[in-house]
Every structure is written in structure tokens, then in C-alpha cells.
Amino acid sequence: MSSDIPSDLSSELSSDSNQQLPTSAPVVHAQLNETHDPSLKSWVQSANDETSDFPIQNLPFGVFRLIDSKAHDYSGGVAIGDQILDLTAACKSGLFSGVAASAAQAAALGQMNTFMALGRPAWAALRLALSQLLREDNTKRDKARACLVPMKKVEMGVPARVGNYTDFFASVHHAMNVGKLFRPDAPLLPNYKYVPIGYHGRASSVRASGHTVKRPNGQLMPAGAAAPHVGQSQRLDYELEMGVWIGPGNVLGEPIAIADAEDHIFGLCLLNDWSARDVQGWEYQPLGPFLAKSFLTSVSPWIVTLEALAPFRSPLATRPESDPQPLPYLSNDYQANGGGFDIALEAFIETETMQTAKTAAHQLSHASLKHLYWTVGQMVTHHSMGGCNLESGDLLGTGTTSGPEADSLGCLLEITEGGKKPIALPSGESRTFLQNGDRLTIKAYCQKEGTRRIGFGECSGTII
């Protein structure tokens, strides 16, 4: 995507030696700076609410359009409290200068690919300018206030054009739990602890949160049957995941070194890899998922940047002494000591009955991304090691995120042990898999002492 970088921004980045990324030594990505200061307040009062997902310390990027507007094009924006700073309007108002101004122009486009391709110096320059602009003591706040749009008045889109989508299988707890259902004597295959396993998904069916989930058709092979039949999936499931958005890509045939992996990651979002388990069980051998997962993948509309997540870094999950260490191409001190993220993920269900009665959503699971066996940096490096060229806007999924506890399982397949143990709901109903009218919502947030809580919004879908 380098050809999409505005020439004026390219020259500004190349002329400032202080903004060049090092080419030999690993980058220390998790450095804190003034944008992370937990004492910062915004003149957008809703951003100061301690329960807000989008305080001034977050500043995620997305694309939106007004619900009642005749215009069909999306524009880039930044979430702040319950408002969106319209970057198109902000650029026209002259609220940015220098590198930040050129970066804002790229981010204002209806798809974030061009901005994501610019790389870390441009992202950091715009994030700092946004933080300063939105602080409570900024003298330009009256001018900036005119660029705000209430979230309740907009429709959000997929943040970038997704050229390719790859879903990983990075949670060892999920892999173990699912493996026990099908291979009780050997739940993990021999390659799992050496290779970040993944499969290539369907980019064309990625949709933003809120898109309805049409129950898919497929070949079904009931237990004991002599032949399959075609019908609607009766074992529809969700998957509690995070999405990883690629920034600058790599040249075909040139792998991304582990020390450079996070220079190619723009940020994270929520992701739900909807799965038809009955279709999957029949079709997945020998080449893996196909129609069981190609019908829809939902993502949350806001991308939280890696810089915003710096206070919440965590070490690579502890491995048993008997486990092999990552092969050298997947290993360095940075990934071991800070390549993970302490992000809490939650999944909630609301049946049609619960929605009608306005009953509170029932929490199905609570997990943390810190339990992943493989880091997002390792996923990027392994994906490219054979020479695959990642591109700006490519989307990676972590795979279902489950923890070691019984209440930290990331999908119904695990929770109900393949449908054997129904879940009792507050409405008096029960579920083994999702039924028509059910609304499934995923949320996530980061929180620890001495920091400001930040969140990801939500990723939801209703089964029809």
C-alpha cells in the first residue's frame, strides 16, 4: 500500500530523522508517553465517565456515516466518550498541522487502509495531536466542538477494506477443550506447540457489529446416519476473539522478522467468527474449516491502537516446563516479556424472550487475552515466514479465547461440552447452541491500578 501514502507525508517522514523506525535493533513498542497519563481529562464530558470505553487515553479509529443522511459514503472518525470527532471536518477546520495534518487526511477517508499503511510515526503523531486537541484546557476546543457527531446518530462500517482474513487457533485452553471432545486420548496434535495454527477465512463476508446473522445451510451428517443431508445448521455458535489489523505490509517473498512484527500491526478490535458446528464437524477433514465459517465474521467498528494498549502489555503466557520453547524465528525477549495483552473479554446472550421482557443480558463467559499461547506478533511473523505478503487492512483473528477456568470458555461448543450440558438462562429458557432471535454480544476492556480503563465497544449480532 506504499503507493497510497500521500507524497507530502512521505517527504515529511523521510526528512525527519527523529521519526525514522530503526532497521536493526528491536523497537521498544510498549513505551508510555503523555497520551497515557491517567489524570488527563477531556472537554468532551462523557469521556470523563469512569465507565466509558472511550476516554481520552483511548482514541480508537473507525469509519461512520450519518443514519439520516442521503450520503452513502463513510468518513473516518475517532471515538471520544459518546461522540465521534469527524476527521474530515477537523481537517477542513485546520485543527492539525505537520505530520499530524497529513495523517489525519489519510485517516479521514472512508476506509482506513491508507492511514494504516503509513506506519508508526504517522500514527503516533496523529494520536498525540488528537490527545492535545481533546484535553480540557485546549484553546481550540470551541472550534473542535463543531466537528463532533453523536454516536447515536451514526451507522458504523468495517474500518478498512479487508483484502485477506486469516483466523488463528492461538488459545491452548480452547484447543485442548475442543480436542478432548473429538480426541479424548490425544486432544492436542503434535504440531500445536510448535506452530501458530491458522486457516484462511472469507474476507468478503466480514461485517461490522450489528449485522444480522442468517442461519447458514450446509451438509449435515447426523450421528449414525448413512449419508449426509442438506439443511440449516442447528448447532450455531459464537467465538470470543480479538481481531488484529495489519498496518504496513511486506514485500512478497520477504518475511517479517519477529523484532519487526509489531511495526506491521495497527491495532486490535473484537471479532466473532460465527461457526456452524454441525457443518464444521462433517466438512473439516482433511483441509479444515470451509462453509461452516465463511457465511459471516463480525468485527467491532473501532480499532484500538497498539499505542493505546501500551499500559496493558503482559508477558507471553507461562508454559509448562515440558513444553517446547518457540523456535528462534518466533522468539525474542520482547515477545516473551511484553508480547501479550491483558484484555478482559466477555460474551453475553439475550434471547428474544429476554429482549421483549427487557431482562438483563446473561453472561456466558469471561476470559483474558493474556492466556493466549501465541502472541499477535508471533502470528504476524509466522504468517509471513513462507513469503506471504500481508497488506494494509488485512485482518487476523486470534481464534477463540478461552482461559483455564470453567467460566472462561469462549464458545458454546466448550461450555456445553458439544451440546451435552445445556445452559440455564434467567428467563427459564436453556441453550446448547444459538437459536433464532438470540442476540450475542462480545465486549472487552483493559483495566489495572494506576491506569485509565479503556474499552473496545461491542461486537453483536442477532440470529435470524
Side-chain angles (χ1 to χ4, degrees):
M1 292 290 295
S2 58
S3 62
D4 291 337
I5 299 177
S7 57
D8 57 340
L9 182 51
S10 295
S11 60
E12 286 184 69
L13 293 178
S14 61
S15 64
D16 188 345
S17 60
N18 292 325
Q19 293 182 341
Q20 291 301 297
L21 296 174
T23 57
S24 55
V27 182
V28 179
H29 300 296
Q31 290 181 330
L32 302 183
N33 57 50
E34 65 180 83
T35 66
H36 302 105
D37 184 349
S39 68
L40 290 179
K41 301 288 185 181
S42 174
W43 48 263
V44 180
Q45 290 303 315
S46 58
N48 302 324
D49 186 331
E50 292 184 356
T51 65
S52 174
D53 276 353
F54 307 122
I56 196 171
Q57 291 82 1
N58 193 348
L59 305 177
F61 292 87
V63 298
F64 72 96
R65 60 187 178 190
L66 293 173
I67 294 173
D68 57 357
S69 172
K70 293 182 180 179
H72 296 290
D73 293 334
Y74 286 94
S75 297
V78 174
I80 179 72
D82 61 4
Q83 304 289 309
I84 299 172
L85 181 72
D86 182 343
L87 290 174
T88 299
C91 288
K92 290 179 179 178
S93 297
L95 291 173
F96 305 109
S97 61
V99 172
S102 297
Q105 290 172 3
L109 301 175
Q111 295 174 321
M112 287 282 165
N113 301 71
T114 300
F115 174 57
M116 294 159 73
L118 296 180
R120 190 175 302 278
W123 307 338
L126 180 53
R127 175 178 165 80
L128 176 59
L130 288 164
S131 175
Q132 294 171 341
L133 176 65
L134 293 165
R135 293 176 197 176
E136 59 184 351
D137 58 353
N138 191 282
T139 57
K140 296 182 180 179
R141 66 183 192 179
D142 289 339
K143 194 174 182 180
R145 197 184 304 275
C147 301
L148 293 181
V149 179
M151 287 186 180
K152 63 183 181 181
K153 293 187 177 181
V154 309
E155 173 190 353
M156 301 298 298
V158 177
R161 181 183 67 257
V162 183
N164 281 285
Y165 160 52
T166 302
D167 201 24
F168 282 86
F169 194 44
S171 169
V172 68
H173 302 291
H174 171 67
M176 183 71 75
N177 293 333
V178 172
K180 286 178 180 177
L181 295 175
F182 301 102
R183 299 178 302 275
D185 297 330
L188 281 188
L189 296 175
N191 63 349
Y192 185 86
K193 293 184 177 181
Y194 289 94
V195 179
I197 301 295
Y199 76 93
H200 288 283
R202 184 72 187 174
S204 65
S205 54
V206 174
R207 294 291 185 273
S209 173
H211 196 279
T212 52
V213 186
K214 187 173 182 180
R215 187 176 295 275
N217 293 308
Q219 283 196 24
L220 310 175
M221 184 65 168
H229 68 275
V230 173
Q232 283 194 330
S233 170
Q234 299 303 307
R235 294 165 68 90
L236 191 58
D237 203 355
Y238 72 95
E239 295 197 346
L240 185 67
E241 300 192 34
M242 299 294 293
V244 182
W245 288 97
I246 297 298
N250 60 299
V251 176
L252 180 67
E254 297 186 9
I256 297 170
I258 190 65
D260 302 323
E262 290 192 7
D263 291 331
H264 296 266
I265 300 174
F266 176 63
L268 307 183
C269 71
L270 299 171
L271 186 147
N272 186 349
D273 181 32
W274 302 96
S275 300
R277 300 299 188 188
D278 40 8
V279 177
Q280 183 179 358
W282 172 239
E283 74 175 7
Y284 83 100
Q285 295 184 2
L287 296 180
F290 186 30
L291 301 185
K293 292 180 176 277
S294 65
F295 60 97
L296 182 68
T297 298
S298 298
V299 295
S300 56
W302 295 109
I303 305 176
V304 177
T305 63
L306 287 199
E307 186 175 1
L309 293 169
F312 309 101
R313 302 304 294 245
S314 68
L316 180 66
T318 302
R319 301 184 177 202
E321 291 185 4
S322 59
D323 281 12
Q325 292 302 305
L327 294 176
Y329 80 97
L330 290 173
S331 179
N332 68 0
D333 289 343
Y334 177 75
Q335 288 298 313
N337 298 323
F341 296 91
D342 191 358
I343 302 174
L345 296 105
E346 300 172 332
F348 300 85
I349 189 173
E350 299 168 87
T351 68
E352 198 166 20
T353 298
M354 294 168 69
Q355 294 171 54
T356 300
K358 301 188 184 305
T359 304
H362 176 71
Q363 186 174 101
L364 292 172
S365 58
H366 181 101
S368 174
L369 206 69
K370 69 182 180 181
H371 293 305
L372 289 185
Y373 199 80
W374 300 103
T375 69
V376 296
Q378 289 171 325
M379 294 176 209
V380 168
T381 289
H382 182 70
H383 201 315
S384 69
M385 75 165 298
C388 171
N389 55 320
L390 300 177
E391 297 181 331
S392 173
D394 280 359
L395 179 65
L396 311 182
T398 61
T400 303
T401 301
S402 297
E405 295 84 20
D407 64 349
S408 61
L409 307 179
C411 65
L412 289 171
L413 182 67
E414 293 176 80
I415 297 170
T416 68
E417 297 183 9
K420 297 175 184 177
K421 295 184 177 181
I423 301 167
L425 300 176
S427 58
E429 302 168 280
S430 66
R431 289 291 185 273
T432 51
F433 292 95
L434 298 172
Q435 295 186 15
N436 293 345
D438 289 351
R439 181 164 61 209
L440 193 288
T441 300
I442 294 174
K443 298 181 181 181
Y445 62 90
C446 304
Q447 183 173 315
K448 72 175 186 179
E449 187 175 355
T451 67
R452 180 64 195 272
R453 175 194 181 279
I454 67 172
F456 288 77
E458 66 176 43
C459 180
S460 66
T462 300
I463 314 302
I464 60 172

